[in-house]
Amino acid sequence: MSQPATVMQSQVSRLDVEQARQTILADCSPITGHQQIAVREALHRILAEPVYSPINVPAHTNSAVDGYALCYNDPPADQQFDLIGSAWAGTPFDGRVGPGQAVRIMTGAVLPDGADSVIMQEEIERHGDRISVQGTHKPGENVRQAGEDLAAGGIALARGKRLQPADMGLLASLGTGEIKVFRRLRVAFFSTGDELRSLGEPLGKGEIYDSNRYTLLGMLRALDMDVIDLGVVKDEPQSLRQALGDASHEADAIITTGGVSVGEADYIRDIMQQLGNINFWQIAMKPGRPLAYGRANDTPLFGLPGNPVAVMVTFYQFVKPALLRLAGMDTTSAPRQFKVKSTSAFRKKPGRTEYQRAILQTDENGELTVRSFGRQGSGILRSMSEADCLVVLPKDNDGVKEGDYVEVQPFEGMMS
């Protein structure tokens, strides 16, 4: 993989969110390992080659509605038609529809020979074996042509597509039972900090339970990654160097939490420089300013902050897009966001992009609005559990008044 030039120390404080994201993505190339798997196992896997359709979809010209198939290119003046049979999905009409004739047809049934249109049953009056068409219509109404959705030989799904439930259904509709996908990305992660204790251990004075590893575990499993949990590593150089060295040989990417700020016991940055390189270690954002990105023995390494909310925010803004690209997905995008009206004021000073937790609501007029969750401390993990979106306040923004429109990133979709 290529190694871009390290960002100079004088540039560190000026690196904005989008610069950081693009720097990381430019440094990430997809893994090369592939697997052949059954379609039933394909959810969230990433295609390693395009899937071509072996058939037309739909396979036959058919009816899009329940109604009556007839030739409307030259209808009788009185719009009266003789009913000569029925067509059902899986049981076509065995015959030809002539002028002034019609066939009762169900949704999905093959369009009979001679017919060019389907009139919805709500627009028909039936009198025994004759029907009367109400209103005016055009030839071709309510007809789905063979190959209209997908022509035989066309690309059904592109290489690099992360498969969703609808994609599994599409593959099944083509009769495709197996596909080639990228192998799962292997991601190693650990926490640093002498104050951290694992679950089940008693807490001493000044000690806390390590929540970040469980947050990371959940976020990585939601991305369908193979995870290597290295636990809590002591905040001292030899242990950290050993952990990073071992992880760089086992994994395709490494994530650490804690140990990347400017404190005397924060060693990750120095060890990154010893084992490989460091591209940057500060971003003009809140929460998450002390984020380091570089390589350990050529393995991409993300040094995330120690505060729980900062871990999640930086993961979704930077790490998730990068991991998906490493895993084979063709993506360069930030989390989806859109504008809504704020019913709260948001305090902010210019100079860095801020991500504040908030809750989406619908007002009495049915308009989507957003309100602040309240306390925005980067250690309040409960806020990420109870909020449902982030309000994105741009670098130059100096605060938001009630009634202003703001950009929001909903958790739904971002966290899967």
Side-chain angles (χ1 to χ4, degrees):
M1 298 182 184
S2 62
Q3 293 192 21
T6 299
V7 176
M8 299 301 293
Q9 197 75 7
S10 61
Q11 297 174 311
V12 166
S13 62
R14 297 197 300 270
L15 197 66
D16 64 27
V17 167
E18 191 57 31
Q19 284 178 312
R21 183 181 292 118
Q22 294 307 319
T23 296
I24 294 171
L25 289 172
D27 191 46
C28 295
S29 299
I31 57 176
T32 57
H34 302 153
Q35 292 177 297
Q36 195 80 11
I37 65 169
V39 167
R40 66 172 56 250
E41 306 297 331
L43 185 64
H44 295 160
R45 300 303 295 270
I46 298 174
L47 282 174
E49 62 183 16
V51 175
Y52 296 91
S53 176
I55 59 175
N56 284 325
V57 180
H60 306 282
T61 300
N62 66 84
S63 176
V65 297
D66 291 345
Y68 294 83
L70 43 80
C71 179
Y72 207 77
N73 189 46
D74 185 22
D78 61 0
Q79 300 219 97
Q80 301 282 320
F81 295 81
D82 294 324
L83 189 60
I84 61 171
S86 299
W88 304 82
T91 307
F93 173 72
D94 185 17
R96 182 176 180 83
V97 176
Q101 296 178 328
V103 167
R104 178 82 169 105
I105 193 168
M106 300 295 115
T107 302
V110 174
L111 192 72
D113 290 342
D116 63 15
S117 308
V118 176
I119 309 300
M120 293 179 65
Q121 59 188 15
E122 292 85 353
E123 296 171 322
I124 294 291
E125 286 187 1
R126 182 171 174 176
H127 309 281
D129 290 335
R130 285 182 64 80
I131 62 170
S132 175
V133 177
Q134 308 300 303
T136 58
H137 302 274
K138 296 179 180 179
E141 274 189 21
N142 301 313
V143 172
R144 299 175 67 230
Q145 299 295 328
E148 178 178 290
D149 292 345
L150 187 60
I155 293 179
L157 294 169
R159 180 184 186 274
K161 167 78 170 174
R162 185 170 181 243
L163 298 174
Q164 303 300 321
D167 301 318
M168 296 173 65
L170 175 58
L171 289 166
S173 76
L174 304 178
T176 300
E178 290 190 343
I179 52 171
K180 182 182 284 189
V181 298
F182 288 97
R183 66 168 174 80
R184 286 188 174 94
L185 198 72
R186 294 188 294 266
V187 183
F189 63 100
F190 62 84
S191 299
T192 67
D194 293 339
E195 78 282 9
L196 299 179
R197 291 293 175 267
S198 296
L199 300 186
E201 295 181 345
L203 291 180
K205 188 174 182 180
E207 295 176 342
I208 60 173
Y209 286 118
D210 176 21
S211 62
N212 285 339
R213 276 175 42 238
Y214 290 88
T215 302
L216 279 171
L217 180 65
M219 294 188 293
L220 291 169
R221 284 186 172 167
L223 296 181
D224 200 35
M225 306 290 176
D226 281 341
V227 297
I228 304 171
D229 183 356
L230 298 179
V232 178
V233 177
K234 289 184 177 180
D235 206 0
E236 56 92 8
Q238 184 174 349
S239 297
L240 291 169
R241 190 178 297 108
Q242 182 69 45
L244 288 174
D246 292 345
S248 70
H249 298 301
E250 294 182 50
D252 303 301
I254 308 166
I255 304 173
T256 69
T257 64
V260 293
S261 64
V262 294
E264 292 182 2
D266 295 335
Y267 301 114
I268 294 291
R269 291 183 296 110
D270 294 337
I271 297 171
M272 288 172 70
Q273 290 176 317
Q274 295 167 14
L275 295 180
N277 73 297
I278 180 169
N279 291 62
F280 58 80
W281 60 272
Q282 284 191 3
I283 302 176
M285 67 180 291
K286 181 183 179 182
R289 180 175 61 87
L291 181 145
Y293 174 74
R295 286 176 176 270
N297 295 324
D298 203 38
T299 300
L301 169 58
F302 304 86
L304 305 188
N307 283 319
V309 174
V311 167
M312 295 193 72
V313 171
T314 53
F315 183 92
Y316 288 120
Q317 302 307 316
F318 307 107
V319 183
K320 177 182 176 180
L323 293 182
L324 290 176
R325 172 165 284 187
L326 287 167
M329 186 174 175
D330 183 17
T331 178
T332 59
S333 60
R336 179 175 63 97
Q337 64 185 51
F338 50 85
K339 283 189 174 183
V340 300
K341 183 187 292 185
S342 175
T343 59
S344 301
F346 288 86
R347 297 175 60 186
K348 179 186 176 296
K349 295 179 180 180
R352 57 186 177 183
T353 302
E354 290 195 15
Y355 298 86
Q356 299 200 20
R357 284 133 280 167
I359 297 173
L360 289 165
Q361 297 177 318
T362 303
D363 66 14
E364 63 276 8
N365 298 317
E367 181 181 1
L368 192 64
T369 63
V370 67
R371 67 173 175 84
S372 173
F373 175 80
R375 296 170 61 198
Q376 297 292 325
S378 59
I380 308 174
L381 186 56
R382 180 177 63 87
S383 65
M384 294 295 286
S385 176
E386 297 185 10
D388 61 12
C389 68
L390 295 173
V391 169
V392 184
L393 303 176
K395 187 175 181 179
D396 296 332
N397 181 275
D398 60 356
V400 171
K401 302 186 298 296
E402 182 178 344
D404 287 349
Y405 279 79
V406 295
E407 295 280 352
V408 299
Q409 293 178 350
F411 288 168
E412 186 174 354
M414 181 168 70
M415 293 190 175
S416 62

